[in-house]
Amino acid sequence: MTSGDGGRDTGRRAVLRAAAAGVLLGAAGCSSGGAPRAASTTSGTAAPQSGETTPAPARTPTPTPTQPQAPAQPQTPTPAQTPSPTALPNPPLWQPGPGEIQPDVKRRAVELVAALGAWPPGGQGVEAARSRVAALGLPTGLADQAGPLAPAAAEASLEVIDAQYGGILADSASVLVVCRQWTRASDGSVAEGGTTVDVRLSRAEPRWTVTALHPAEPGAAAASPGAAVAGVLAQPRIELPPAAAADLRSGAVHDSVLTAMLRLAGPYSLTVSVVRSGHPLDVFGTTRPSDHPLGRAFDVWRIDGRAVVDPATPRQLIESFMRDAAAAGSYNVGGPLAIAGAGNQFFTDDTHHDHVHVGFDH
């Protein structure tokens, strides 16, 4: 090897070193004051400039296995809350007060009427009524005479407003049991009504027994009641029980009765027990027709809120009322007091110790 070859070798090595250095500098990717540049892609697409992001290739999501869904369960409807039915009135059983003649006779009549006219849910029907009558020690056949006391209802309650004598003799009696009644039908509806029952009794031991029942029969209401009827029904100082009010609506009550009621309602408040129906056809113990079934009389058992039979009711109040009833046109006024008067204008007896009878002859 000559020195020339050595010089050429040396020069060749220098060239190789320079080329290697250039390769290293290109691999470093640095340029004066600039950001590093990425190498070109094989497709020849320019690399993104500083601040750009290369979008990642879209990925196809791995399908999630679908779980089979349970079939929808049917919704069970919530049952509607049925409100509890309102309880029917439950008044206490009527009891005779002081001043009564033969009080147990009235009590006996009231017990029977209450047994026939009131029952718990499911206690309707004649057979159930017969059982209640038998429990009183009375003939079960009386249940067949209940009439309007035993309407077709699932439940009933009864208030005895008053029990007055239609007649009282040594061995027989008539007690007029004046009632208000509430009934509940099978559909839950409640109705209010009532009647008056003429209860016939005879003396027996240890207690009087009941021989017959005669419930009131007021008749159908008239198509157009007269002005006097409307006036009495609208007068707050006149209290009428159900059967008496029905008597007025029937149109079978004389104007003389209605006019007297309205006149007496000026100075007094009066509580009527009987007008036409529910009273014996004849004066009790006689064959003489009573003025009541003819629509020409009415009975008052309470004056200004004071019971006629009560010994605490001022006698002056009762006498004043009886005299004013006569002045209102009554020819026949009966009550617990003996009052001087012409003919039979005033009278008293045991039957009328518990009410004032006001009768008219036309």
Side-chain angles (χ1 to χ4, degrees):
M1 181 177 296
T2 62
S3 59
D5 292 338
R8 287 194 297 269
D9 291 341
T10 303
R12 187 180 297 116
R13 288 193 293 268
V15 170
L16 291 173
R17 285 196 296 269
V23 171
L24 290 173
L25 288 173
C30 295
S31 61
S32 175
R37 292 182 301 176
S40 299
T41 64
T42 56
S43 65
T45 304
Q49 299 300 312
S50 173
E52 294 180 353
T53 304
T54 303
R59 299 178 60 190
T60 302
T62 302
T64 303
T66 304
Q67 296 294 328
Q69 295 195 3
Q73 296 297 319
Q75 294 287 333
T76 303
T78 302
Q81 294 296 320
T82 303
S84 299
T86 303
L88 297 181
N90 185 29
L93 186 65
W94 182 93
Q95 296 292 336
E100 293 282 4
I101 293 175
Q102 296 277 14
D104 194 53
V105 175
K106 287 188 176 184
R107 187 181 292 108
R108 190 69 157 152
V110 166
E111 289 171 351
L112 174 61
V113 169
L116 291 173
W119 56 86
Q124 69 271 28
V126 67
E127 290 304 322
R130 287 172 179 159
S131 295
R132 296 193 296 272
V133 173
L136 296 174
L138 292 170
T140 59
L142 292 168
D144 301 317
Q145 303 175 27
L149 269 179
E155 180 184 4
S157 67
L158 182 131
E159 175 190 18
V160 173
I161 299 169
D162 185 45
Q164 79 166 48
Y165 280 120
I168 176 72
L169 301 175
D171 295 318
S172 61
S174 160
V175 177
L176 311 184
V177 183
V178 184
C179 307
R180 183 177 289 110
Q181 187 182 46
W182 297 266
T183 56
R184 192 192 310 281
S186 56
D187 64 0
S189 59
V190 175
E192 180 178 340
T195 189
T196 296
V197 186
D198 175 10
V199 182
R200 300 299 177 92
L201 304 97
S202 64
R203 183 182 291 278
E205 294 297 337
R207 300 181 70 188
W208 286 50
T209 190
V210 177
T211 58
L213 300 175
H214 301 285
E217 296 180 5
S224 55
V229 169
V232 172
L233 293 174
Q235 172 54 256
R237 293 174 66 80
I238 301 174
E239 295 182 58
L240 295 166
D247 287 336
L248 267 65
R249 295 190 185 98
S250 73
V253 177
H254 282 237
D255 282 348
S256 55
V257 168
L258 305 172
T259 300
M261 283 185 179
L262 290 169
R263 179 169 171 177
L264 289 166
Y268 309 97
S269 65
L270 49 147
T271 307
V272 175
S273 51
V274 178
V275 177
R276 189 183 68 83
S277 61
H279 191 280
L281 297 179
D282 295 330
V283 175
F284 191 73
T286 76
T287 57
R288 187 172 74 253
S290 168
D291 287 325
H292 283 280
L294 301 175
R296 298 201 307 247
F298 66 97
D299 290 345
V300 173
W301 71 274
R302 193 164 59 185
I303 305 166
D304 290 347
R306 310 291 295 267
V308 171
V309 72
D310 188 347
T313 298
R315 300 295 95 178
Q316 180 57 42
L317 173 64
I318 298 173
E319 180 177 347
S320 175
F321 183 84
M322 292 175 68
R323 290 190 180 280
D324 285 344
S330 175
Y331 83 103
N332 190 222
V333 182
L337 305 176
I339 300 175
N344 65 347
Q345 189 175 27
F346 299 106
F347 70 94
T348 185
D349 56 24
D350 285 349
T351 296
H352 294 83
H353 80 285
D354 58 6
H355 67 279
V356 174
H357 165 88
V358 183
F360 299 84
D361 57 6
H362 62 277

